[in-house]
């Protein structure tokens, strides 16, 4: 990790949580050929095939690799939930293997990087809500992350019975790692770790956000003080540590899916991803989640931290719940007091209690042998003369992780940056991010006095009435691979979240402080909120399909304000998660295995490719091809080539009645964008006689052109029976780069 984050002093604190792909560096074998780890994906297991897949994999390799190379280069087999293996190959061997019968895809194993208290109350999941504790304690959440800290109070098993009977997993936590009736399973995969023990805090944070027990009076040095708790505190956790010191190898991530599915988890949570979206059959997470879906397991994944640019979303498969990050009503702010008494407000999670120190601008403490003034103003480490910096508070023209200030002996740092102003980060020394305008005020104060001083105060919580808004770093749509599927699906709290932490983790880069609870921001923090909401729904409806649970979460989401979220649906999908509503959605848009198969045919896969991943004899229909628009998705999105041409699009959808026996739903449409579109729904009334009855309808969206500025038009469709409101976003766009 250190190498990666050292890479640039322009690195932003958020990078600590960002999920980035770094191309795996070539590893050389004994002969010196360039070999990389490839995943050889062979689709579903055939019936009766499970017994000796490793030998099947090895005999395939015999045709491609010299015998002496096989043991050295074989990495692992996948054989519990789907078929495939990982192996080190050179380019030539890769080509040969790719052409073999039964191979769906061969792709390099990329290295993926890892991407409360108040948040649950904010989304309405208070301690007082209705729960079914016995059913909740039957829900097993598989957390694929960087491990977990089993001794955290959040994972105590006081009051828990033995694991649910259906559990087939194991506790192979490694180095003195003990499971209990809360953490019922543990496995690790990286050849660099010997344990499921969390060494950086990320996995402990996400797992406790999902299912941590209530821990009272939790805080980060008194900041964000309150009860810390997971969304489903009675649920069980199975922790799969898929990461090593440099990140999370896709070959290990896929192995964890292979196990988690076979172990019998109910929901999978994965706050990990790539930096660039890829096709479904060359992405370990999309492949693993597909097989999970086939076994009735919903996968919830973080959208990525590459916003605010559009088309940065990396979680794109329709069988995954893709989660954007939004703010909660508690913002953590900080203040700096200048020597003249002026108080400037900014952002940081600063636990240090301050005092006045001399203030110096980077340009004034420059090491002229190394740098010019403008670079010193940015406070690059080599530009600063540490003799001049020591004992002072630095003013810098950019946001950093505070590394240079810390290393040169500064006692505090003011960093000016207008971007990334919607969340706060911890730093290894008293630090505050201020707006550029505020920095000008600091500069003019410095000009006005001989001995300028500043005092950076300890952070405090502030009420943020603009919440929820999607945070800047949250990756945006449109979906670059299947632009007819809206992504992200939903937004959930992911800013300034307090949750349990590993005592081995560092509070910030270059930090010696060790804490039991830490405040983090990232789509990594949003994903576990959605996972817990899905688990909460599952505890009321244990037999619902993954798509029904996902539909319930999406169609009951709170509408978000498009004015405050310029990318609108591409930022928040169906809206802001509302778990309490989601247990009683009225209607669900269900997508079954066969529907996903049709979808794959409709995006151009042939029967052979489809069969290999479906594991059955399903085939793509002959003749007229359908379109991805036909998928019974809870949102309705169509990509059109040109924004200034008339369009007319039909979405056919089927809803299942899961509300009340005799119910009549009426439709209404709300146009949410300033564009000229017409929407009709046929029929506009759906009368259900019984539960689980299906009814279909067609939504026709037409218009003369899209909004020229945003290249999109959006609306929402609501079905209401007076009790339930079932809302779906409708988006027509030409917004691909
Ligand atoms: C691991 O085991 C050693 C020796 O038994 C013990 O001293 C140590 O505290 C244990 N570590 C944790 C984190 O439990
Ligand atoms: C772990 O595996 C990767 C990929 O095979 C390899 O590059 C790396 O050197 C291995 N690390 C150790 C510590 O064995
Ligand atoms: C709550 O936590 C704070 C900060 O850790 C501590 O100062 C305080 O004494 C605690 N209060 C209670 C009632 O335990
Ligand atoms: C300062 O130095 C940097 C790096 O050498 C250079 O790119 C930049 O143009 C210089 N700026 C000025 C104002 O001279
Ligand atoms: C501070 O003084 C310097 C040098 O006199 C000048 O260049 C700069 O514009 C002044 N800055 C402000 C904010 O007043
Ligand atoms: C913030 O203000 C809103 C509206 O005034 C209130 O409902 C909410 O409880 C407040 N939140 C906090 C954390 O004080
Ligand atoms: C949406 O946000 C804008 C800008 O903050 C505000 O004027 C408007 O009232 C909000 N709309 C709703 C429905 O809250
Ligand atoms: C497909 O598989 C099913 C069950 O395995 C079998 O009954 C059916 O005959 C097969 N159909 C074709 C066309 O092979
Ligand atoms: C949409 O469906 C209507 C019937 O509901 C049909 O008349 C029309 O041709 C269809 N339009 C397209 C673009 O498929
Ligand atoms: C709005 O759409 C209608 C029907 O498609 C069209 O006749 C009209 O010219 C459009 N108006 C504008 C301002 O684009």
């Amino acid at each position: 990790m250190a190498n990666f984050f050292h890479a640039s002093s322009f690195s932003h604190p958020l990078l600590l949580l960002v999920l980035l792909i770094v191309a795996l560096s070539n590893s050389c074998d004994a002969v010196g050929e360039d070999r990389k780890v490839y995943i050889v994906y062979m689709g579903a297991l055939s019936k009766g095939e499970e017994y000796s897949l490793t030998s099947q994999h090895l005999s395939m390799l015999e045709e491609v690799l010299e015998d002496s190379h096989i043991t050295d280069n074989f990495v692992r087999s996948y054989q519990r939930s789907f078929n495939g293996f990982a192996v080190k190959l050179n380019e030539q061997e890769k080509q040969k293997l790719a052409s073999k019968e039964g191979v769906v895809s061969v792709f390099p194993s990329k290295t993926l990087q890892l991407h409360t208290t108040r948040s649950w109350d904010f989304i309405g999941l208070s301690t007082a809500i209705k729960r079914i504790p016995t059913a909740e304690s039957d829900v097993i959440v598989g957390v694929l992350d960087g491990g977990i800290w089993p001794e955290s109070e959040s994972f105590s098993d006081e009051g828990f019975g033995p694991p649910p009977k259906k559990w087939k997993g194991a506790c192979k936590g490694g180095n003195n790692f003990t499971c209990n009736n809360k953490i019922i399973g543990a496995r690790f995969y990286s050849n660099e770790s010997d344990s499921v023990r969390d060494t950086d805090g990320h996995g402990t944070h996400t797992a406790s956000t999902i299912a941590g027990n209530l821990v009272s009076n939790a805080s980060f040095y008194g900041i964000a003080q309150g009860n810390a708790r997971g969304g489903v505190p009675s649920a069980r956790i199975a922790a799969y540590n898929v990461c090593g010191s440099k990140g999370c190898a896709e070959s290990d991530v896929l192995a964890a899916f292979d196990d988690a599915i076979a172990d019998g988890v109910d929901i999978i949570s994965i706050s990990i991803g790539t930096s660039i979206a890829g096709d479904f059959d060359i992405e370990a997470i999309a492949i693993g989640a597909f097989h999970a879906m086939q076994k009735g397991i919903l996968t919830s994944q973080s959208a990525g931290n590459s916003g605010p640019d559009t088309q940065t979303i990396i979680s794109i498969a329709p069988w995954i719940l893709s989660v954007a990050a939004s703010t909660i009503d508690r913002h953590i702010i900080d203040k700096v007091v200048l020597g003249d008494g002026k108080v400037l407000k900014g952002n940081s999670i600063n636990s240090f209690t301050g005092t006045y120190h001399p203030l110096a601008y980077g340009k004034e403490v420059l090491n002229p042998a190394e740098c010019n003034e403008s670079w010193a103003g940015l406070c690059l480490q080599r530009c600063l003369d540490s003799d001049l910096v020591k004992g002072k508070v630095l003013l810098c023209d950019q946001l950093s992780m505070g590394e240079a200030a810390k290393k040169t002996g500064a006692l505090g740092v003011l960093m000016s940056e207008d971007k990334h102003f919607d969340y706060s980060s911890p730093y290894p020394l008293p630090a505050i991010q201020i707006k550029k305008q505020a920095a000008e005020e600091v500069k003019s104060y410095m000009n006005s006095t001989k001995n300028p001083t500043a005092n950076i105060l300890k952070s405090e919580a502030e009420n943020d009435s603009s919440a929820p808004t999607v945070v800047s770093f949250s990756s945006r749509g449109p979906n670059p691979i299947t632009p007819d599927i809206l992504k992200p699906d939903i937004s959930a709290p992911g800013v300034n979240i307090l949750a349990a932490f590993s005592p081995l983790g560092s509070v910030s880069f270059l930090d010696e402080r060790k804490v039991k609870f830490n405040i983090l921001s990232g789509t990594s923090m949003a994903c576990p909120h959605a996972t817990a909401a899905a688990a909460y729904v599952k505890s009321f409806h244990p037999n619902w399909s993954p798509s029904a649970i996902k539909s319930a979460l999406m169609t009951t989401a709170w509408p978000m304000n498009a004015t405050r979220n310029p990318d609108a649906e591409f930022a928040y999908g169906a809206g802001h998660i509302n778990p309490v509503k989601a247990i009683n959605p009225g209607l669900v848009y269900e997508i079954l295995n066969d529907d996903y198969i049709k979808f794959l045919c409709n995006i151009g896969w042939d029967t052979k490719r489809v069969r290999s991943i479906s594991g059955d004899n399903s085939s793509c229909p002959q003749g007229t091809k359908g379109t991805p628009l036909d998928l019974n998705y809870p949102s309705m999105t169509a990509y059109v080539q040109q924004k200034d041409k008339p369009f007319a699009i039909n979405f056919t959808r089927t809803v299942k009645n899961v509300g009340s026996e005799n119910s009549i739903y009426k439709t209404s449409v709300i146009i949410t964008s300033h564009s000229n579109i017409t929407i009709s729904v046929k029929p506009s009334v759906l009368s259900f006689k019984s539960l689980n009855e299906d009814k279909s309808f067609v939504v026709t969206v037409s218009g003369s052109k899209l909004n020229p500025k945003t290249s999109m038009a959006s609306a929402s469709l609501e079905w209401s029976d007076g009790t339930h409101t079932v809302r779906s976003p409708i988006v027509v766009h030409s917004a691909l780069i």
Side-chain angles (χ1 to χ4, degrees), residues 131-145:
R131 287 186 188 274
I132 312 177
T134 49
E136 193 175 303
S137 78
D138 274 345
V139 178
I140 305 165
V141 184
V143 184
L144 276 56
D145 209 299

Side-chain angles (χ1 to χ4, degrees), residues 67-307:
D67 284 358
S68 62
H69 284 172
I70 292 182
T71 36
D72 286 350
N73 291 303
F74 190 72
V75 177
R76 64 167 82 251
S77 271
Y78 309 114
Q79 51 187 334
R80 297 184 69 197
S81 304
F82 43 85
N83 188 359
F85 56 97
V87 62
K88 290 181 195 164
L89 300 170
N90 62 29
E91 183 58 31
Q92 210 180 1
E93 293 158 351
K94 180 214 144 182
Q95 301 281 347
K96 268 198 209 159
L97 205 51
S99 65
K100 293 254 172 245
E101 184 68 30
V103 172
V104 181
S105 55
V106 180
F107 57 98
S109 168
K110 298 170 291 275
T111 301
L112 315 180
Q113 297 290 334
L114 288 170
H115 289 204
T116 59
T117 51
R118 179 68 204 149
S119 54
W120 288 117
D121 287 315
F122 179 59
I123 65 176
L125 203 70
S126 73
T127 45
I129 54 146
K130 183 168 102 176
R131 287 186 188 274
I132 312 177
T134 49
E136 193 175 303
S137 78
D138 274 345
V139 178
I140 305 165
V141 184
V143 184
L144 276 56
D145 209 299
I148 195 166
W149 191 259
E151 288 82 12
S152 168
E153 233 184 300
S154 299
F155 307 127
S156 142
D157 68 349
E158 214 184 298
F160 280 79
K165 288 214 175 63
K166 65 187 174 189
W167 177 239
K168 297 192 288 281
C171 185
K172 295 188 175 168
N175 187 26
N176 68 1
F177 185 106
T178 329
C179 294
N180 59 15
N181 286 328
K182 176 69 175 179
I183 302 177
I184 61 170
R187 297 179 188 272
F188 64 95
Y189 299 89
S190 169
N191 58 357
E192 290 169 346
S193 38
D194 61 354
S195 165
V196 180
R197 210 168 266 292
D198 175 11
T199 55
D200 72 6
H202 188 274
T204 301
H205 202 277
T206 56
S208 66
T209 301
I210 299 166
N213 301 310
L214 190 146
V215 178
S216 56
N217 195 31
S219 71
F220 177 75
Y221 295 99
I223 302 167
Q225 192 160 7
N227 294 333
R229 63 189 166 92
V232 278
S234 298
R236 319 293 181 124
I237 296 167
Y240 299 84
N241 182 2
V242 295
C243 303
S245 64
K246 291 182 208 74
C248 323
E250 258 188 319
S251 55
D252 292 338
V253 169
L254 197 54
F257 271 102
D258 192 28
D259 281 332
I261 296 165
D263 286 348
V265 305
D266 293 301
I267 314 257
I268 288 174
S269 192
I270 182 160
S271 290
I272 295 174
T274 60
S275 65
I276 299 167
D279 274 314
F280 305 132
D281 59 348
I282 57 162
E283 290 284 341
I285 295 174
I287 291 169
F290 182 86
H291 292 287
M293 172 277 292
Q294 285 188 312
K295 292 278 157 61
I297 304 162
L298 178 64
T299 299
S300 163
Q301 188 192 12
S302 42
N305 294 347
S306 308

Side-chain angles (χ1 to χ4, degrees), residues 642-653:
Q642 281 163 307
K643 59 180 163 193
D644 49 5
K645 288 267 160 67
F647 57 87
I649 296 143
N650 285 348
F651 297 97
T652 304
R653 290 291 186 271

Side-chain angles (χ1 to χ4, degrees), residues 42 196 322 385 391 587 688:
M42 300 178 65
V196 180
S322 309
D385 181 337
L587 305 175
F688 294 91

